Amino acid sequence: MKILKANSIILGGRDCKILTGGAIAFDNEILAVGDAQEIIKRYANAEFTDLGDDIIAPTFINTHAHLEFSANSSSLIYGDFVKWLGSIVEKGGELAAKCTPKIMAGALNSMLKSGVGAVGAVSSFGKDLEILAASPARIVFFNEILGSNPAVCEQNFAAFEARFKQSAELKSERFTPAVSPHSPYSLHPVLAAKALNFARERDLLVSTHFLESSHELEWLTSGTGAFSAHLKRFTPTPASMYSPNTYLAMFAGLRTLFTHCVWADFTKLNFDSELHSVTHCAVSNRLLGARSLDLSAVKGANLSLNIGTDGLSSNISLNFLDEMRAALMTHPNRELNDLAREIFIAATAGGARALNLNSGELSIGKFADIAVFKGFADVSQSELITQLILQTKECERLYVGGERVKF
Ligand code: MCF
Ligand code: FE
């Protein structure tokens, strides 16, 4: 058992209170959080560390990342979503082939160093399986499925099933296999129904890309625009296969992360606020389009928010604090400290809710997923989270399930 004491403990959870001069006792789960003297007395045999000015916080949860594209730096076209998609269709295989286990391990390590204790990893090819299953972090491994050509539905589903099976063999307390139907423009409804029934029968988590570009919204609402030409690569006479709400309806009863949603009209879409959540990828949205997520509309629809880096296919860094800083910078109409708190909650409790993890806050009975960051000499409580996001590049320590992670 261990006890950590620090000047500031960000408790996380929905109200994200800060405890000053307290301590936390834990083994694989959190046993106590509160008055330092009382905890030290109660657990007299525990290994005790006084972290002084440092900040103790719940680890971050990166709900959406693609490790297999970590070899990319400047090979893909940014600025317009369909141009980017054309470039990844063309070069994705080559980029994935270049992406060695060493590159993926380095990319994952950069996340962990920034205080990430759990990752929702979207796997296109299964090349990232071993690296992720061996990681000290908690992993939800989303096996991707896509294909818009009805002629190859059976073939695509069989390939998906084979990949899923390999990931299911590695299932553990820290590693959870899951399903990622790619998007409404890339997935035939027959294939979507098969994948989602597969998820329903096994009670699996689901993650999908949704309403990421104006082109996608136009395609789903009018069947026109840049997607028409793009999809001719795969099927001779492409037709829009869903409206935004008919795609959404396929996810009824499934715990699903909807990634991006920058073109979603939350007043008209029938999300399930219990099971569905929205994943914000600020950098990716800036690089692949010109619009950022409407955070107040997400809140207005009573939907839980979480944060993802996406992959290096649409980001310049997988450091989660870089991503949080970007989120802080891309909503200039919001009061700064309020927004920083909302981002922190999305990055911790929001991620835990989306990925169904018993973490995201420091309270009794939760997993001891704890990050320690360097503190500040002269910061008021109301600005602590803002300064943490602004000033921090890496954590000092990371514990997952009470075990210290070595980077
Ligand atoms: O989230 C971003 C942008 N939207 C869609 N897909 C991807 C993203 N980053 C990587 N991808 C992958 C996706 O998983 O790119 C491929 C899929 O394998 C595009 S469809 C051939
Ligand atoms: Fe993505």
Side-chain angles (χ1 to χ4, degrees):
M1 186 196 304
K2 301 179 181 82
I3 298 177
L4 299 178
K5 176 177 181 289
N7 275 357
S8 305
I9 302 182
I10 304 175
L11 297 173
R14 298 314 307 175
D15 33 74
C16 210
K17 292 213 171 84
I18 299 171
L19 180 70
T20 37
I24 179 164
F26 57 94
D27 44 33
N28 60 331
E29 288 183 2
I30 296 168
L31 302 168
V33 198
D35 181 77
Q37 289 319 313
E38 196 271 318
I39 287 175
I40 292 164
K41 209 163 140 196
R42 185 153 28 123
Y43 301 104
N45 295 325
E47 177 193 321
F48 173 75
T49 312
D50 188 342
L51 295 165
D53 277 342
D54 282 353
I55 300 164
I56 295 174
T59 58
F60 298 130
I61 298 173
N62 184 358
T63 53
H64 185 100
H66 304 253
L67 269 197
E68 291 166 306
F69 298 106
S70 299
N72 179 58
S73 52
S74 57
S75 299
L76 302 173
I77 300 172
Y78 290 159
D80 175 81
F81 185 74
V82 172
K83 286 186 185 148
W84 174 86
L85 198 57
S87 71
I88 202 164
V89 168
E90 221 165 273
K91 295 186 181 157
E94 198 184 305
L95 281 172
K98 267 199 227 159
C99 195
T100 59
K102 197 173 166 204
I103 292 177
M104 286 188 277
L108 181 60
N109 207 37
S110 71
M111 272 187 223
L112 305 191
K113 275 185 179 169
S114 65
V116 169
V119 183
V122 180
S123 175
S124 304
F125 312 106
K127 280 192 66 180
D128 46 356
L129 176 61
E130 270 180 41
I131 293 282
L132 286 160
S135 165
R138 293 184 200 285
I139 305 293
V140 178
F141 188 81
F142 289 105
N143 291 279
E144 183 170 83
I145 178 158
L146 55 77
S148 52
N149 185 344
V152 288
C153 272
E154 290 299 330
Q155 200 180 317
N156 284 350
F157 191 71
F160 157 80
E161 265 186 314
R163 278 194 290 118
F164 182 86
K165 192 163 169 258
Q166 284 188 320
S167 68
E169 277 161 15
L170 296 171
K171 187 176 173 178
S172 72
E173 193 217 20
R174 297 224 179 147
F175 183 87
T176 309
V179 182
S180 178
H182 178 256
S183 71
Y185 53 81
S186 62
L187 194 65
H188 193 275
V190 171
L191 195 54
K194 271 168 107 58
L196 294 169
N197 283 339
F198 184 91
R200 236 174 236 112
E201 281 159 12
R202 293 163 182 79
D203 201 15
L204 302 171
L205 281 161
V206 177
S207 171
T208 189
H209 297 92
F210 191 44
L211 291 171
E212 182 174 6
S213 66
S214 58
H215 307 296
E216 181 180 340
L217 180 62
E218 181 181 349
W219 180 243
L220 297 184
T221 49
S222 323
T224 56
F227 264 107
S228 178
H230 169 80
L231 291 168
K232 284 202 176 114
R233 288 165 180 250
F234 310 105
T235 182
T237 49
S240 173
M241 299 173 285
Y242 317 84
S243 72
N245 259 328
T246 59
Y247 186 67
L248 194 49
M250 299 200 77
F251 297 80
L254 288 164
R255 185 175 294 276
T256 307
L257 294 87
F258 290 88
T259 300
H260 306 306
C261 294
V262 278
W263 289 86
D265 179 348
F266 289 97
T267 62
K268 298 212 175 96
L269 287 165
N270 306 320
F271 282 105
D272 174 342
S273 60
E274 275 304 304
L275 291 175
H276 296 166
S277 66
V278 175
T279 304
H280 185 20
C281 303
V283 176
S284 181
N285 295 150
R286 181 63 191 93
L287 297 185
L288 305 191
R291 183 156 155 168
S292 48
L293 181 65
D294 183 345
L295 296 179
S296 60
V298 175
K299 199 181 262 178
N302 202 20
L303 282 164
S304 174
L305 185 75
N306 50 80
I307 308 247
T309 53
D310 230 341
L312 289 175
S313 29
S314 57
N315 206 324
I316 48 169
S317 162
L318 297 186
N319 178 311
F320 204 68
L321 283 149
D322 284 344
E323 186 64 35
M324 290 168 80
R325 273 188 282 283
L328 197 59
M329 303 299 172
T330 45
H331 304 279
N333 54 334
R334 288 283 308 272
E335 197 284 317
L336 184 70
N337 294 307
D338 251 17
L339 178 60
R341 215 171 142 270
E342 187 176 334
I343 290 167
F344 189 92
I345 292 170
T348 52
R353 179 173 169 161
L355 295 181
N356 208 19
L357 298 171
N358 183 31
S359 59
E361 67 180 283
L362 304 181
S363 65
I364 295 170
K366 294 283 176 188
F367 288 140
D369 291 3
I370 300 168
V372 177
F373 300 100
K374 200 161 180 41
F376 312 103
D378 190 21
V379 168
S380 71
Q381 258 208 17
S382 60
E383 286 171 16
L384 184 73
I385 290 175
T386 314
Q387 290 297 352
L388 176 64
I389 295 174
L390 290 174
Q391 309 288 350
T392 314
K393 305 270 186 290
E394 291 183 354
C395 64
E396 304 275 294
R397 294 174 180 226
L398 184 75
Y399 296 86
V400 176
E403 285 167 36
R404 183 129 177 224
V405 174
K406 292 187 182 72
F407 307 116

